[in-house]
Amino acid sequence: MACQEECSNNRTKWIFAIVASLILVFVIGLVLYFTLQKSTQPGCEQDAVCRPDADMLDYLLSLGQISQRDGLLVTWYHAANSQKEMWAALNSDAMVLEADITMEGLNTANETGVPIMAHPPAIYSDNTLQEWLKAVLASSQKGIKLDFKSLKALGPSLDLLQQLTKDGEVRRPVWINADILRGPNVPISIEVNATQFLALVQEKYPEATLSPGWTTLYVPLFPNNTYTQAMVEKMQELVGALPQRVTFPVRAVMVRAAWPHFSWLLGQSDRYSLTLWQGASDPVSVDDLLYIRDNCAIHQVYYDLFEPVLSQFKQLAMNATRKRSYYSGGSLIPLLQLPREDGLSVMWLAFDIQGNGITATIQLPDKGMILLNVGLQKLAGRDAMPVVHAPGDLVLILESCLMQLATQPGRWGIHLHIAEPTALRPALAVLARLSTSGHLPWPVWVGATVSHASFAVPGQVAGKELLTAVAEVFPHVTVAPGWPEEVLSSGYGEQLLTDMLELCQDLWQPVSFQLQAVPLGQSMAGVVARLLAASPRATVTVEHSSTGGSYASVQAVLLAARTVDRTRVYYRLPQSYREDLLVDVGRN
C-alpha cells in the first residue's frame, strides 16, 4: 500500500515536471517568436522621428534612405490603391507611398461607410484602407501620404489611424492631403470644404502633417493663369495658427510664375514646405525647377515629378558649379547665408571703381552684400539718371554697375541706399527693366533714411513714398528703412518704434530695419526683439562706422543684438570691427 502511494506521488511529480517543462518551452518559444518578429519586421529605432507627426526628411534620414535633409532625394509612388498597385509599390524602391481614399459606393444606395482605396470617379476597390494600412505598416518602412477627395471618408479614416497610432503601429510620418481652396483656371467649386477638413484633422488625428492644396486646371497650348497672391494669402489665413507641419502641394508647371507668392508663404513659418507635383501632360521646365531650388533651402521643397524631367533636373541640380539665378525679392538664404546660419556670416562689401561716369568699371570681392549709395545726376549731357556715389567723388551709372555685376562670377546681394529722394523711382525703374531682361539675378534691398510721423525730417525720403514707389514700380525687393540721425539722440524710443512698425505693417515684402549701433545702445531693452516680431521675414541690420566710435564703444550692443535671434540680425561694420566681433563671438 505504501509502495502504491509512493509510486502515485512519483507519477504526480513527473506529470507536474512535464507540464512545467512544456509551459517553459512554450513561453520560451513565444519570447523567441516575438523577438524574431521584431528583428525581421521593418521598424524605426529613434522615437523622436518614428512618429506620425515627424518630419519626413528626418525620418528617412534616420533610416539611412537619404544622405541629407534634401527634398529632392525623396522618391514617390503614385496611386498605390488596388491590391496589385499596393504590392508593386511595397516592392519598389519608393520611399513614400501616395494613395487615394474615398467611401465605398459613395453617394449611391450601396454606400457602406467603409473607406476604400480608389481615385474618383471609381467608388469600388479590392482594397480597403484598413487592409492597405495593415499591409503597409507590417511590411515596409515607407512614409504615407493619403489623398482625400471626399469629406465622408475622412472622419472614419482618421479614426482608424488614431487607433493604430494608439496601438503603437504607426511609427512613421503620415501626411493628410486634400484640395481645400479653388485654384488657377478652375471655373467651378470642386474643392473639399476647408473648414471641415481642418477641423476634422484637429479633432481626430492632429498627429498628421497637413497637405492642403488648391484645385487646378492646366491645358497645354492654351492661356493658363497661375496661383495669385490672394489664393496664397487665403491659405495662410486657414493654416497659419495651426500647430502641425504643413506641406503645400503645388502644380510644378505653375510655380515659377507665382514664385513671389510662394517665397512669401515659405517665409511665414519654418513648419512649411512645398511639394511640387506634375500632371501627366504638364510641360514642366527644368530651368523653372532649378530656379525654385536655388531660391529656397533644400529641405523646403519636395519634388513629385515624372521621368525624364526628374532625372534631368536632379543631374543639373546636383552640379555645384552651375550658374544660379535668385529671386530679387527673396531672402539672403541660401545665397549668402545657410539655413540657421549666423547673420554675422554675411559681409557688406566695398568695391573699387576704375574711371568715372559713363566709362567707369568696378572690381568686387567674390561674395557678400554690395552697398550702393544712389543719387540722381546728369552725365555727359544726358538727362538725369540714377548713379552710384563712391568715395573720392566718383560716380557710376546705376544700370551700368548692375549690368557689370550680372556678367561677373560671384555671389552677391545688392543693397541700394537711396540717398536722394528724387532718385527713388528712377532707381526702381532700372531694377524693373533689368529684371524683365533677366539681368537681376540676386536678392535686392532698397532702403533709405525715411521721414515719417515722429521721425519726420525734411530732405529725407518720405516713408509712405518709399513703400508706394516700391509697390507701383518694382515690388520684388526687400525694403530697408532707417531712422534719421536727427531723432536718435536718446536712442530708439517707443514712439519711433511704433510709427515705423505702423508704416511697415501692411507690407508683403521682407523688411530689414536699419539700426545704428550707438543709438541702439542708448535705447530701452527689447528694440531688436520688437522689430523682429513684426513679421516672420523681418530682419535687423545693425550698422556702425569708424567715425562713430571704436569697436569697444559698441561691443556690448553688437553682442546683445545677437542674443535675440542670431540668424536674423546682420551687421554692417568696418572689416576690422567685424573681425573683432567674430573673435568675441567665438570666445563666448
Side-chain angles (χ1 to χ4, degrees):
M1 185 73 176
C3 180
Q4 288 178 345
E5 289 180 356
E6 182 177 348
C7 290
S8 176
N9 288 335
N10 287 336
R11 281 197 301 272
T12 301
K13 290 177 181 179
W14 276 106
I15 290 171
F16 278 122
I18 292 170
V19 170
S21 298
L22 289 173
I23 292 173
L24 180 62
V25 169
F26 179 72
V27 170
I28 292 173
L30 283 177
V31 171
L32 287 173
Y33 172 78
F34 286 113
T35 301
L36 288 173
Q37 281 291 98
K38 185 175 181 181
S39 65
T40 57
Q41 289 296 321
C44 180
E45 300 300 326
Q46 301 178 28
D47 288 343
V49 297
C50 306
R51 304 160 51 94
D53 60 353
D55 180 87
M56 186 70 77
L57 295 177
D58 288 339
Y59 171 72
L60 296 174
L61 187 64
S62 76
L63 297 178
Q65 294 188 16
I66 58 176
S67 58
Q68 59 179 329
R69 297 185 71 247
D70 184 348
L72 182 53
L73 302 179
V74 180
T75 55
W76 307 80
Y77 195 103
H78 303 95
N81 296 329
S82 67
Q83 288 279 342
K84 179 181 179 180
E85 285 294 338
M86 178 189 72
W87 287 111
L90 290 172
N91 291 321
S92 74
D93 294 330
M95 302 173 191
V96 183
L97 304 188
E98 182 271 336
D100 306 286
I101 303 178
T102 189
M103 194 69 83
E104 187 174 41
L106 180 67
N107 295 332
T108 71
N110 299 321
E111 185 174 317
T112 63
V114 175
I116 60 169
M117 313 308 292
H119 189 287
I123 55 173
Y124 297 101
S125 172
D126 64 354
N127 211 3
T128 66
L129 173 61
Q130 186 168 15
E131 293 168 337
W132 190 92
L133 287 171
K134 180 179 179 181
V136 171
L137 296 176
S139 60
S140 81
Q141 296 175 315
K142 300 181 188 296
I144 294 173
K145 178 183 178 183
L146 300 176
D147 187 2
F148 290 86
K149 306 298 185 184
S150 163
L151 279 176
K152 282 188 176 181
L154 181 61
S157 300
L158 297 179
D159 289 338
L160 178 57
L161 282 165
Q162 185 60 257
Q163 186 57 55
L164 290 171
T165 300
K166 287 180 179 178
D167 293 342
E169 296 186 42
V170 185
R171 291 175 54 77
R172 68 194 71 195
V174 175
W175 291 7
I176 302 298
N177 172 261
D179 292 337
I180 64 172
L181 289 178
R182 191 190 305 189
N185 310 308
V186 178
I188 60 173
S189 179
I190 56 173
E191 66 274 10
V192 169
N193 183 281
T195 302
Q196 295 179 41
F197 171 79
L198 296 173
L200 276 171
V201 174
Q202 302 310 304
E203 174 193 348
K204 292 179 175 291
Y205 198 56
E207 294 90 342
T209 289
L210 287 168
S211 178
W214 297 260
T215 59
T216 62
L217 178 64
Y218 183 86
V219 182
L221 305 180
F222 279 80
N224 288 279
N225 296 318
T226 186
Y227 300 90
T228 65
Q229 182 177 339
M231 292 175 188
V232 174
E233 289 180 346
K234 178 62 176 176
M235 184 67 80
Q236 168 63 10
E237 289 176 12
L238 289 170
V239 304
L242 300 181
Q244 290 94 347
R245 301 180 196 277
V246 183
T247 185
F248 302 100
V250 289
R251 196 162 189 159
V253 73
M254 298 177 173
V255 174
R256 169 71 183 268
W259 185 250
H261 313 316
F262 289 118
S263 176
W264 175 86
L265 184 61
L266 287 175
Q268 300 308 301
S269 174
D270 58 9
R271 297 179 293 113
Y272 291 175
S273 64
L274 302 179
T275 302
L276 271 60
W277 61 273
Q278 180 183 8
S281 60
D282 290 357
V284 175
S285 161
V286 172
D287 285 342
D288 287 354
L289 296 173
L290 292 170
Y291 179 86
I292 293 162
R293 183 169 175 84
D294 289 345
N295 282 282
C296 56
I298 58 176
H299 70 271
Q300 289 182 302
V301 181
Y302 297 89
Y303 301 88
D304 186 3
L305 307 170
F306 293 118
E307 296 292 355
V309 171
L310 181 59
S311 293
Q312 294 168 359
F313 169 49
K314 278 186 176 180
Q315 182 178 5
L316 290 172
M318 300 303 181
N319 180 358
T321 62
R322 68 179 175 83
K323 186 176 180 180
R324 287 165 167 76
S325 181
Y326 298 93
Y327 170 49
S328 60
S331 76
L332 303 186
I333 299 171
L335 173 62
L336 299 178
Q337 180 186 8
L338 295 176
R340 300 176 183 154
E341 188 179 27
D342 199 318
L344 186 54
S345 64
V346 179
M347 294 186 295
W348 262 253
L349 304 175
F351 60 88
D352 295 326
I353 295 183
Q354 305 296 322
N356 198 22
I358 296 174
T359 62
T361 59
I362 59 174
Q363 293 181 334
L364 286 164
D366 293 333
K367 177 182 177 182
M369 280 293 281
I370 303 169
L371 178 66
L372 303 177
N373 289 303
V374 179
L376 203 64
Q377 186 172 326
K378 290 184 178 181
L379 293 174
R382 300 186 181 188
D383 292 337
M385 61 183 65
V387 297
V388 177
H389 292 290
D393 293 327
L394 297 175
V395 297
L396 176 65
I397 297 172
L398 175 61
E399 187 162 359
S400 172
C401 175
L402 297 176
M403 284 295 293
Q404 289 185 51
L405 288 174
T407 62
Q408 296 186 25
R411 301 176 66 186
W412 303 303
I414 306 298
H415 182 173
L416 298 191
H417 177 76
I418 307 300
E420 302 172 23
T422 55
L424 174 59
R425 286 180 178 262
L428 288 168
V430 169
L431 296 178
R433 189 160 56 248
L434 293 178
S435 177
T436 300
S437 64
H439 292 107
L440 200 65
W442 337 271
V444 176
W445 291 13
V446 174
T449 300
V450 298
S451 173
H452 178 72
S454 61
F455 48 95
V457 173
Q460 305 293 352
V461 176
K464 289 185 178 179
E465 168 59 8
L466 173 64
L467 306 190
T468 300
V470 165
E472 292 178 355
V473 182
F474 187 63
H476 306 297
V477 297
T478 292
V479 179
W483 291 258
E485 289 187 17
E486 292 90 333
V487 303
L488 297 177
S489 58
S490 300
Y492 294 92
E494 170 65 26
Q495 196 60 50
L496 296 179
L497 293 177
T498 298
D499 289 342
M500 181 65 85
L501 291 171
E502 288 180 353
L503 174 66
C504 299
Q505 65 182 352
D506 293 327
L507 282 177
W508 66 266
Q509 290 92 348
V511 181
S512 188
F513 298 102
Q514 308 295 291
L515 296 174
Q516 298 180 37
V518 172
L520 181 59
Q522 301 168 342
S523 305
M524 58 185 177
V527 169
V528 172
R530 187 170 173 192
L531 294 173
L532 293 180
S535 163
R537 298 204 296 172
T539 61
V540 161
T541 305
V542 182
E543 57 181 280
H544 185 67
S545 66
S546 56
T547 58
S550 66
Y551 170 74
S553 69
V554 293
Q555 177 190 36
V557 176
L558 299 177
L559 290 171
R562 296 173 44 76
T563 62
V564 180
D565 186 338
R566 66 184 183 87
T567 66
R568 296 167 64 195
V569 178
Y570 299 112
Y571 301 87
R572 179 149 62 90
L573 305 170
Q575 183 60 28
S576 62
Y577 290 15
R578 180 177 179 273
E579 291 172 357
D580 289 339
L581 181 56
L582 284 168
V583 171
D584 285 339
V585 168
R587 184 182 297 120
N588 294 331

